[in-house]
């Protein structure tokens, strides 16, 4: 495979559908045992190689929580105000892990109506009542509020401190679970030696953590989550806020990532936040990959125009067929020990296996997740079928939404000047993220068996492609509907 592109020469490029994987002798006894662990960046590990795309019709906190529970990671999109994106990250970080470090609290003198508002806004079932200096004073549960008129004070309806079971700072998950079970309570506030609230363990979280599951987690048992940033305007402030909310990775994402401005912004981020795990994209050439790695990329995102809602190739004429882009970029990135994300163009489970054989460590997916229960937005009905909107982030609608977000005047003349590089469409309802991941990971595991691989490193090493003729492609893909 050529790694140097010379102006004026035509070179070949392949898409996922141009190849099949050569079946090799299998050493995998049971496909269920195939090991799908991988690296998102040099430091961040995942249990399945799947990332949900940072698009406004794909990933907010619901999606991020769902995919991390299944072993992957979601990247919260950036087309919202900084405070909201920060809160989306915080929601994902709070969703699991046995210790919630900053549980929602309320003051004893607040009213039940204020408590109800807080509960609704944050999607929690109850609140911890804390006084001056964070002193634990009680718990206000959903049940306590159920029949209240609303103007009562929290202190009059809460379960008071003396009737609470609590744990000490530093408590182990086993001890916390034991206390929750023996006292038959749902919430265990954790306090320091001065009886100040330092955290909360819920029965649900303790149960989930103890049940050895596949979720992708940080060192504190919380779900992994990433967040996207751009390269203009308030991107530094955004990065700062997202890291304060403890995003595990930042994804510096622009359509044409191989540019001076991306490189200088990436360097600035790395200078300001030296410990950040930074994904940079998108590129589709080895040169682009090397330049982003030199700018500080901890992973490189690859894909110019393969996405289902992309029109970059039609509008600009530029792009690289995705499998070739992955092979080129992964080859260059592997020299530096940096993982590559194959972003866009995954249509079938077999494409995930092909991307990994091509050298990617993970795949990023938009359209296949856009029709799930967990994606943002609402279902609409058409002829008895439910659909959700799916749009490219460079589509006309997304461009207009961005202007609206910035409170810019929108006049028809400006709109007619926009040259979209994405389309607005809709995708049918396909159930939950779990259903989609079951198919994707099931296909990957079977593909690993066909390639004689028991883990993703072996899959990359052993896998071989066969290039298809048009008849070979027809025989492979034209099947009964
Ligand atoms: P799939 O195929 O999984 O691709 O839907 C998701 C990826 O598509 C990219 N993306 C775009 N590309 N114009 C583009 O050229 C757009 O408007 C656009 N919006 C998203 C992005 O890389 C995403 O992860």
């Amino acid at each position: 495979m050529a790694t140097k592109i010379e102006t004026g020469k035509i070179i070949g490029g392949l898409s996922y559908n141009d190849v099949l994987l050569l079946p090799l002798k299998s050493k995998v006894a049971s496909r269920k045992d195939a090991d799908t662990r991988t690296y998102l960046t040099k430091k961040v590990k995942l249990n399945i190689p799947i990332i949900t795309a940072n698009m406004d019709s794909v990933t907010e906190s619901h999606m991020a929580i769902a995919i991390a529970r299944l072993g992957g990671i979601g990247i919260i999109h950036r087309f919202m105000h900084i405070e909201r994106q920060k809160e989306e990250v915080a929601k994902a970080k709070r969703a699991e892990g046995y210790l919630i470090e900053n549980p929602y609290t309320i003051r004893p003198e607040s009213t039940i109506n204020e408590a109800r508002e807080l509960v609704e806004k944050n999607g929690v079932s109850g609140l911890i009542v804390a006084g001056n200096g964070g002193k634990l004073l009680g718990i206000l549960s959903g049940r306590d509020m159920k029949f209240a008129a609303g103007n009562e004070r929290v202190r009059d309806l809460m379960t008071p401190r003396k009737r609470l079971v609590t744990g000490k700072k530093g408590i182990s998950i086993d001890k916390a679970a034991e206390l929750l079970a023996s006292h038959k309570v749902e919430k265990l506030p954790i306090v320091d030696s001065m009886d100040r609230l330092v955290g909360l363990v819920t029965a649900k979280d303790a149960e989930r953590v103890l049940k050895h599951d596949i979720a992708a987690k940080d060192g504190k048992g919380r779900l992994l989550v990433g967040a996207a940033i751009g390269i203009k305007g308030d991107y530094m402030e955004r990065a700062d806020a997202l890291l304060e909310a403890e995003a595990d990775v930042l994804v510096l994402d622009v359509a044409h990532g191989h540019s001076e401005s991306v490189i200088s912004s990436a360097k600035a981020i790395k200078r300001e936040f030296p410990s950040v795990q930074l994904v940079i994209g998108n590129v589709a050439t080895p040169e682009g990959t090397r330049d982003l790695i030199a700018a500080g990329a901890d992973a490189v995102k690859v894909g110019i125009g393969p996405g289902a809602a992309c029109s970059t190739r039609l509008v600009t004429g530029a792009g690289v067929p995705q499998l070739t882009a992955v092979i080129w970029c992964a080859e260059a990135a592997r020299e530096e020990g940096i993982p590559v994300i194959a972003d866009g163009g995954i249509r079938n489970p077999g494409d995930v296996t092909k991307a990994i054989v091509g050298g990617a460590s993970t795949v990023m997916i938009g359209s296949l997740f856009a029709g799930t229960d967990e994606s943002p937005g609402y279902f609409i009905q058409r002829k008895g079928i439910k659909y959700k909107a799916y749009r490219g982030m460079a589509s006309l609608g997304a461009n207009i939404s961005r202007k609206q977000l910035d409170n810019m005047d929108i006049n028809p003349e400006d709109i007619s000047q926009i040259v979209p590089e994405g389309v607005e469409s809709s995708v049918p309802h396909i159930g939950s993220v779990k259903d989609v991941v079951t198919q994707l990971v099931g296909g990957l595991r079977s593909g690993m068996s066909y390639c004689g691989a028991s883990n993703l490193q072996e899959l990359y090493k052993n896998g071989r492609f066969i290039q298809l003729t048009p008849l070979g492609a027809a025989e492979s893909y034209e099947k009964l509907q």
Side-chain angles (χ1 to χ4, degrees):
M1 188 60 63
T3 52
K4 189 167 164 64
I5 302 173
E6 291 167 59
T7 318
K9 285 199 176 159
I10 295 177
I11 49 168
L14 300 173
S15 298
Y16 294 127
N17 274 3
D18 286 318
V19 300
L20 290 177
L21 292 163
L22 187 68
L24 302 170
K25 185 175 179 182
S26 178
K27 59 175 182 178
V28 182
S30 161
R31 291 174 189 193
K32 282 204 302 285
D33 297 336
D35 180 352
T36 56
R37 284 176 300 172
T38 190
Y39 283 88
L40 164 62
T41 66
K42 261 202 296 200
K43 287 194 185 146
V44 177
K45 290 187 208 161
L46 301 179
N47 290 325
I48 60 168
I50 295 179
I51 307 170
T52 63
N54 44 293
M55 300 171 73
D56 67 0
S57 44
V58 181
T59 312
E60 291 182 356
S61 55
H62 267 120
M63 178 65 75
I65 290 166
I67 189 70
R69 282 187 176 147
L70 295 164
I73 192 169
I75 312 296
I76 310 278
H77 72 89
R78 64 185 162 94
F79 304 102
M80 54 181 117
H81 291 301
I82 294 177
E83 276 312 306
R84 190 169 156 235
Q85 193 185 15
K86 181 179 176 184
E87 187 48 34
E88 290 295 302
V89 169
K91 276 187 197 162
K93 291 312 285 183
R94 275 180 213 278
E96 223 164 276
Y98 73 96
L99 184 69
I100 302 168
E101 279 184 46
N102 295 300
Y104 295 107
T105 57
I106 190 152
R107 307 268 316 172
E109 63 274 17
S110 300
T111 65
I112 296 298
N113 276 340
E114 285 164 340
R116 281 178 176 149
E117 218 171 278
L118 207 59
V119 159
E120 191 141 311
K121 182 170 154 232
N122 297 300
V124 291
S125 64
L127 298 165
I128 309 291
V129 186
N132 291 342
K135 273 240 180 241
L136 176 66
L137 298 179
I139 289 186
L140 185 73
S141 70
R143 223 176 322 125
D144 296 331
M145 288 183 269
K146 200 163 185 182
F147 300 108
N151 53 358
E152 302 90 333
R153 299 284 160 190
V154 165
R155 64 170 164 260
D156 298 326
L157 295 188
M158 69 185 190
T159 305
R161 172 68 185 97
K162 60 177 187 296
R163 286 189 14 229
L164 293 184
V165 188
T166 58
K168 287 210 177 71
K169 190 177 174 182
I171 191 171
S172 72
I173 177 68
D174 298 306
K175 180 76 190 154
E178 192 190 304
L179 282 172
L180 285 159
S182 60
H183 290 87
K184 295 194 176 67
V185 289
E186 286 297 314
K187 290 187 166 72
L188 186 73
I190 308 298
V191 290
D192 65 9
S193 54
M194 312 276 286
D195 212 37
R196 286 178 303 215
L197 181 72
V198 292
L200 175 71
V201 181
T202 70
K204 225 164 60 191
D205 288 342
E207 193 188 7
R208 204 179 289 124
V209 172
L210 283 177
K211 198 171 68 187
H212 172 74
D213 66 7
I214 192 171
K217 291 180 176 169
D218 65 15
K220 292 180 179 166
R222 300 170 306 178
L223 297 175
L224 295 183
V225 60
I229 55 170
I231 55 165
K232 283 193 217 140
D234 57 12
Y235 76 99
M236 269 296 180
E237 199 187 325
R238 192 174 284 270
D240 191 25
L242 296 169
L243 291 173
E244 202 181 290
E246 297 187 82
D248 298 282
V249 290
L250 295 187
V251 178
L252 199 161
D253 187 45
V254 298
H256 184 24
H258 194 190
S259 78
E260 292 293 343
S261 42
V262 168
I263 290 167
S264 64
S265 303
K267 284 183 180 165
I269 294 273
K270 278 290 199 176
R271 248 193 327 269
E272 188 69 21
F273 311 104
S275 59
V276 65
Q277 288 294 288
L278 187 65
V279 175
I280 317 179
N282 275 17
V283 292
T285 62
E287 290 81 357
T289 306
R290 287 192 197 102
D291 282 352
L292 295 191
I293 292 172
D298 298 292
V300 174
K301 200 150 73 74
V302 173
I304 305 287
C310 301
S311 56
T312 294
R313 293 179 188 176
L314 292 169
V315 173
T316 70
V320 176
Q322 183 65 350
L323 180 61
T324 293
V326 168
I327 292 171
W328 283 347
C329 298
E331 215 174 82
R334 271 171 196 266
E335 286 165 14
E336 308 291 333
I338 296 288
V340 150
I341 300 164
D343 176 18
I346 299 290
R347 302 279 169 271
N348 293 295
D351 298 341
V352 179
T353 321
K354 291 174 186 176
I356 306 277
V357 172
S361 296
T362 53
V363 298
M364 178 176 267
I365 298 178
S367 58
L368 294 185
F369 287 120
T372 59
D373 300 322
E374 293 87 347
S375 66
Y378 301 96
F379 286 110
I380 49 159
Q381 292 260 5
R382 237 185 281 141
K383 293 188 179 162
I385 300 174
K386 289 203 291 184
Y387 293 86
K388 254 189 190 178
Y390 179 55
R391 65 178 184 180
M393 293 319 308
S395 64
L396 184 65
N399 268 290
I400 294 173
S401 298
R402 262 199 297 279
K403 287 183 190 294
Q404 284 168 334
L405 202 65
D406 294 338
N407 288 325
M408 284 164 71
D409 283 340
I410 301 169
N411 60 60
E413 212 165 289
D414 289 342
I415 301 291
S416 65
Q417 295 304 309
I418 295 172
V419 182
E421 285 186 33
V423 299
E424 288 150 88
S425 186
S426 56
V427 288
H429 179 221
I430 35 163
S432 70
V433 169
K434 192 166 184 219
D435 299 332
V436 177
V437 168
T438 299
Q439 293 306 313
L440 291 172
V441 174
L444 171 63
R445 289 208 161 104
S446 296
M448 291 167 75
S449 162
Y450 276 104
C451 291
S454 52
N455 58 49
L456 296 188
Q457 290 67 39
E458 284 180 9
L459 179 62
Y460 167 67
K461 222 169 91 215
N462 301 355
R464 294 286 172 272
F465 292 119
I466 310 171
Q467 194 173 341
L468 294 171
T469 62
L471 285 180
E475 182 187 82
S476 307
Y477 308 123
E478 287 174 20
K479 303 292 177 185
L480 293 175
Q481 296 297 315

